[in-house]
Amino acid sequence: MHKPAKVTIEDVAAAAGVSRQTVSRVINNGPNVKPAVRQRVEAMVEQLGYVPNLSARRMGGARSYLILSINDRARTFENWTSGRGNDWVDQMLYGGMSECERHNYHMVLELIDTDAGTTIPQIARAVGSLRPDGVILTPPHCDNLELVDWLERQGIPCARVGHYEGGNFVDVYMDDEGAMREVTRHLLELGHRSIGFLAGPLNYGPSQKRRKAFREALAEAGIPPEAGPIGAGNFYFDMAVSVLETMLAAPSPPTAIIADNDKMAFAALHVAADLGLKVPDDLSVISFEDTPGVRFSVPPLTAIRQPTAAMIGKACAQLIALSKGEEGMGAFELPYEFVVRATTKAPRG
Amino acid sequence: MHKPAKVTIEDVAAAAGVSRQTVSRVINNGPNVKPAVRQRVEAMVEQLGYVPNLSARRMGGARSYLILSINDRARTFENWTSGRGNDWVDQMLYGGMSECERHNYHMVLELIDTDAGTTIPQIARAVGSLRPDGVILTPPHCDNLELVDWLERQGIPCARVGHYEGGNFVDVYMDDEGAMREVTRHLLELGHRSIGFLAGPLNYGPSQKRRKAFREALAEAGIPPEAGPIGAGNFYFDMAVSVLETMLAAPSPPTAIIADNDKMAFAALHVAADLGLKVPDDLSVISFEDTPGVRFSVPPLTAIRQPTAAMIGKACAQLIALSKGEEGMGAFELPYEFVVRATTKAPRG
DNA sequence: AAGCCAATTGAGAGCGTTCACAAAATATGT
DNA sequence: ACATATTTTGTGAACGCTCTCAATTGGCTT
């Protein structure tokens, strides 16, 4: 197990008969290199299998080629049981890594204990040691004002995913209002006249938008507010179960349920089974998330598919552009998709 | 957006009235520092908010504090539709990051296109630029001999997750044979006399073990081989559906199905619903994976829970130990869990 | 009190790159 | 052909840390 000698920029320079700096120019795609020289250097890079050392690059004052993604520990699988976990992460990873890879960047993930109140020290530590070119904030961190302020003061470009508008940031999101309108209208057109909404937390931006659009779509169709009950206020399975039990026990219960995430939609499937209601004949169910496994549920869930991977990918792309000195700040809305599977149908009778 | 001056080791040294090197000793927990001095330095580190720069550390010849995890692109959510994707990643992440965090390490994830035949160049690039202290290989990469050889020659400590025995590596796995024995016996005790197994790929180590144990457990109970049909040979939903349709159309069809992963277990749920079979009354189903969402299926799946997070955590822990010059190579078997939920029951009649 | 060993501290070099220049080569205009 | 711009190339310093090794300190022995 002997370490093979690692080839450095000097080795390439010597082999190509040029200086260190010229090789540097070539690998960074810099201007002012004669085509012939560039080619000769590239050949040597290839031949020697040279790969620039990221640490040295960083030391030399260049970019770090690192994008840091900050994630909430509470939302990992560790907390699936309690219902707080989700599986965004898979999609995030895919979207982020794919984009990073394209630019020879790397994505480093950090788990932060939001609840412990040590968010900023934890992030300071990661940012201080890694010195990333950009930071990606996912919920709930993207709404943490103190944190966002701190990052801004550090001068590190920052992207928020699932956050709307604001400041000198990259903000990436989808059209939550439009999606809710589409979903509600779909149900209305099917003939539903009473629709329940299992809503997410009040302080979660996208959920706010969806609540608003839900109410508006109902009002627009002349449905009275009491025929559009809103429940929950978090994303947990258990909570959704008990809210549903109440909702469906009402005198004229909803014939359709819109859930703010998959887990609550699954809760609807469970409660329906317990109550002997057939989905979609007796109860229609729509989810707002569409994590990959959803398509394999029985019956397969109709859902709004959040462009999670694309959002993280976009966030990375913008941060990378920024690190190259290009323009990048701004707000970006990505298209969602309404995937009609097997849990929506006209109500009985 | 002005960058705040970053505090370096020299700043701390000056503030504490000692040399650079003494500060270095303190932050690395080195020996031979007077308690009084150590305390003074630590106070200054705290006060100035000093965080060592990872790149500089690496350049100075120390460890990189980076663990690289190599993942197969084909298994990401991108390929959920085709059925190749899974959601290991969430759990991996959690297990790996938690462990890394504990030691102030960081986990970098890399997506590799196994199918493209460019595995080694891709990994060489990542390893060359990052210079991680260790590499974690997950399926199917852990079984890629060429890759494993290459890494060994590079002298980078390497951990394989889901791989048994062998060489100068960290190997982490669970007792697949024991799990299969337990599951099969559970079904046998319930009274099942014909059990189908939707098996994973033949070249996937854990699946091999499970096949073997399945056959043995059946033989031990005096069940003839034809009452223990094995099908599939990959992990895809669609394949499982068609295999099941055949299996369940047999003269005396299985009354229980063991699936090698969740997706195939979901397929069993689907086919049962299509055929009008009630789970678990008419058909018992057990999965070998237990990704987080499984508990929310209707009905909730009985499953072997793979200790995925723990396995990656262990892999990280060993690699980190190794990077500190401690012992670490070896094979580690982690305990699985048999979670009985609502999809197993005695067969009818 | 001198001598010796161990514990503690510090100084200088080096890691591989990019930066800011300076130098050399080439092109342009008259 | 000459001076002047422009492109192309190279040089030394710097980045922040750890390494190696030398210097200092302190305690113990004799």
Side-chain angles (χ1 to χ4, degrees):
Chain A
M1 186 158 140
H2 63 95
K3 319 247 173 188
K6 341 153 203 187
V7 11
T8 75
I9 201 171
E10 295 282 5
D11 299 328
V12 178
V18 296
S19 76
R20 209 173 353 120
Q21 185 58 30
T22 298
V23 177
S24 177
R25 285 192 187 97
V26 171
I27 60 178
N28 287 296
N29 255 304
N32 302 338
V33 180
K34 267 205 210 148
V37 175
R38 165 163 272 134
Q39 209 171 345
R40 190 149 38 95
V41 171
E42 276 166 351
M44 281 301 137
V45 165
E46 179 67 26
Q47 188 183 316
L48 300 176
Y50 168 68
V51 179
N53 180 321
L54 233 54
S55 299
R57 270 192 157 166
R58 183 64 184 146
M59 288 305 294
R63 305 173 250 154
S64 69
Y65 292 86
L66 254 32
I67 300 289
L68 184 66
S69 171
I70 305 286
N71 302 92
D72 185 17
R73 164 171 260 129
R75 307 231 171 164
T76 64
F77 105 105
E78 182 192 29
N79 283 304
W80 257 93
T81 315
S82 79
R84 303 189 63 192
N86 59 24
D87 41 35
W88 261 50
V89 189
D90 256 300
Q91 302 170 66
M92 277 198 31
L93 271 187
Y94 174 72
M97 291 198 289
S98 294
E99 192 62 32
C100 283
E101 192 201 13
R102 187 175 312 167
H103 301 273
N104 272 315
Y105 267 64
H106 300 270
M107 200 156 93
V108 182
L109 287 100
E110 214 69 13
L111 230 43
I112 301 293
D113 301 288
T114 316
D115 297 341
T118 53
T119 311
I120 296 198
Q122 277 188 72
I123 294 182
R125 181 151 196 96
V127 165
S129 59
L130 257 10
R131 311 256 165 193
D133 291 337
V135 174
I136 296 182
L137 258 29
T138 56
H141 299 293
C142 53
D143 294 312
N144 181 335
L145 265 162
E146 198 195 353
L147 170 58
V148 161
D149 268 8
W150 183 85
L151 281 165
E152 197 164 21
R153 264 181 284 119
Q154 300 299 304
I156 299 172
C158 184
R160 295 180 291 196
V161 173
H163 185 98
Y164 294 88
E165 114 293 330
N168 200 25
F169 292 98
V170 175
D171 283 320
V172 187
Y173 47 82
M174 68 168 229
D175 179 10
D176 285 289
E177 296 191 36
M180 179 54 96
R181 268 195 303 275
E182 185 169 349
V183 154
T184 311
R185 282 181 192 154
H186 170 76
L187 256 12
L188 256 13
E189 277 162 22
L190 245 24
H192 294 273
R193 283 297 166 267
S194 178
I195 302 172
F197 178 31
L198 297 170
L202 278 164
N203 61 358
Y204 177 50
S207 285
Q208 280 175 23
K209 303 244 173 210
R210 294 173 201 165
R211 274 170 201 258
K212 177 165 170 284
F214 175 68
R215 285 212 194 82
E216 287 171 1
L218 250 39
E220 188 184 277
I223 308 283
E226 62 273 19
I230 299 184
N234 61 33
F235 280 133
Y236 310 169
F237 181 87
D238 291 342
M239 168 65 93
V241 167
S242 66
V243 167
L244 275 164
E245 284 167 349
T246 311
M247 259 190 201
L248 295 174
S252 56
T255 54
I257 297 292
I258 300 173
D260 219 354
N261 72 344
D262 290 339
K263 222 168 314 189
M264 296 201 288
F266 288 142
L269 260 26
H270 271 262
V271 173
D274 285 353
L275 262 38
L277 296 173
K278 211 160 173 324
V279 175
D281 306 80
D282 301 312
L283 188 70
S284 288
V285 179
I286 297 184
S287 176
F288 245 86
E289 184 175 10
D290 203 46
T291 41
V294 160
R295 78 196 63 190
F296 299 129
S297 70
V298 186
L301 272 172
T302 288
I304 288 289
R305 176 176 306 174
Q306 291 192 37
T308 311
M311 290 195 293
I312 307 283
K314 183 67 179 169
C316 282
Q318 294 309 112
L319 291 176
I320 291 173
L322 241 17
S323 82
K324 291 181 178 167
E326 302 164 10
E327 286 301 309
M329 295 299 185
F332 304 89
E333 181 180 294
L334 264 37
Y336 65 86
E337 206 181 325
F338 182 32
V339 187
V340 178
R341 285 191 279 248
T343 57
T344 47
K345 194 175 177 181
R348 263 198 172 131
Chain B
M1 182 159 141
H2 62 94
K3 319 247 171 187
K6 344 155 203 186
V7 11
T8 74
I9 200 171
E10 295 283 4
D11 300 328
V12 178
V18 296
S19 75
R20 211 173 349 120
Q21 185 56 34
T22 298
V23 177
S24 177
R25 286 192 188 96
V26 171
I27 60 178
N28 288 296
N29 255 305
N32 303 336
V33 180
K34 268 207 209 146
V37 175
R38 165 162 272 135
Q39 209 171 346
R40 190 149 38 93
V41 172
E42 275 167 351
M44 280 304 138
V45 166
E46 179 67 24
Q47 189 183 315
L48 300 177
Y50 168 68
V51 179
N53 180 321
L54 233 54
S55 299
R57 271 191 157 167
R58 183 64 184 146
M59 288 306 294
R63 304 174 251 155
S64 68
Y65 292 84
L66 253 32
I67 299 289
L68 183 67
S69 170
I70 305 287
N71 303 90
D72 185 16
R73 163 170 261 131
R75 307 234 170 161
T76 65
F77 105 104
E78 183 193 30
N79 284 303
W80 257 93
T81 315
S82 79
R84 304 190 62 192
N86 60 24
D87 41 36
W88 260 50
V89 188
D90 256 300
Q91 304 171 64
M92 277 198 30
L93 270 186
Y94 173 72
M97 290 197 291
S98 294
E99 192 61 34
C100 284
E101 193 201 12
R102 185 175 313 169
H103 302 272
N104 272 315
Y105 266 64
H106 300 272
M107 199 156 91
V108 182
L109 287 98
E110 213 69 13
L111 230 43
I112 301 294
D113 300 287
T114 318
D115 298 341
T118 53
T119 312
I120 296 200
Q122 277 188 73
I123 294 182
R125 184 154 193 95
V127 166
S129 59
L130 258 10
R131 310 255 166 195
D133 291 337
V135 174
I136 296 181
L137 258 29
T138 56
H141 299 294
C142 53
D143 295 311
N144 181 336
L145 265 162
E146 199 195 352
L147 171 58
V148 161
D149 268 7
W150 183 86
L151 281 165
E152 197 165 21
R153 264 180 283 122
Q154 300 300 303
I156 299 171
C158 185
R160 295 179 291 195
V161 174
H163 185 98
Y164 295 88
E165 115 289 336
N168 200 25
F169 292 99
V170 175
D171 283 321
V172 187
Y173 46 82
M174 67 169 230
D175 180 10
D176 286 289
E177 296 190 36
M180 179 52 96
R181 266 197 302 274
E182 184 168 351
V183 153
T184 311
R185 282 181 193 154
H186 170 77
L187 256 14
L188 255 14
E189 278 162 21
L190 244 26
H192 293 273
R193 285 296 167 268
S194 178
I195 303 171
F197 177 32
L198 298 169
L202 279 164
N203 61 358
Y204 177 51
S207 285
Q208 279 174 25
K209 304 242 175 214
R210 294 173 201 164
R211 274 169 200 257
K212 178 165 167 283
F214 176 69
R215 285 211 195 84
E216 286 171 1
L218 251 38
E220 188 184 278
I223 308 283
E226 61 273 20
I230 299 183
N234 62 34
F235 281 132
Y236 310 169
F237 180 88
D238 291 343
M239 169 65 91
V241 167
S242 65
V243 167
L244 275 163
E245 284 168 348
T246 310
M247 259 190 201
L248 295 174
S252 54
T255 54
I257 296 293
I258 300 173
D260 219 353
N261 73 343
D262 290 339
K263 221 167 317 184
M264 295 200 289
F266 288 143
L269 260 27
H270 270 262
V271 172
D274 285 353
L275 261 39
L277 297 174
K278 212 161 175 321
V279 174
D281 307 80
D282 301 313
L283 188 70
S284 288
V285 179
I286 296 184
S287 176
F288 246 86
E289 184 175 9
D290 202 47
T291 42
V294 160
R295 78 196 63 189
F296 299 131
S297 70
V298 185
L301 272 172
T302 290
I304 287 289
R305 178 177 303 176
Q306 290 191 39
T308 311
M311 290 194 294
I312 307 284
K314 182 67 179 168
C316 282
Q318 295 307 113
L319 290 177
I320 291 173
L322 240 17
S323 82
K324 290 181 179 167
E326 302 162 11
E327 286 300 308
M329 295 299 184
F332 304 89
E333 182 179 294
L334 264 40
Y336 64 87
E337 206 181 326
F338 182 31
V339 188
V340 178
R341 285 190 280 246
T343 56
T344 47
K345 194 175 176 180
R348 263 198 171 132

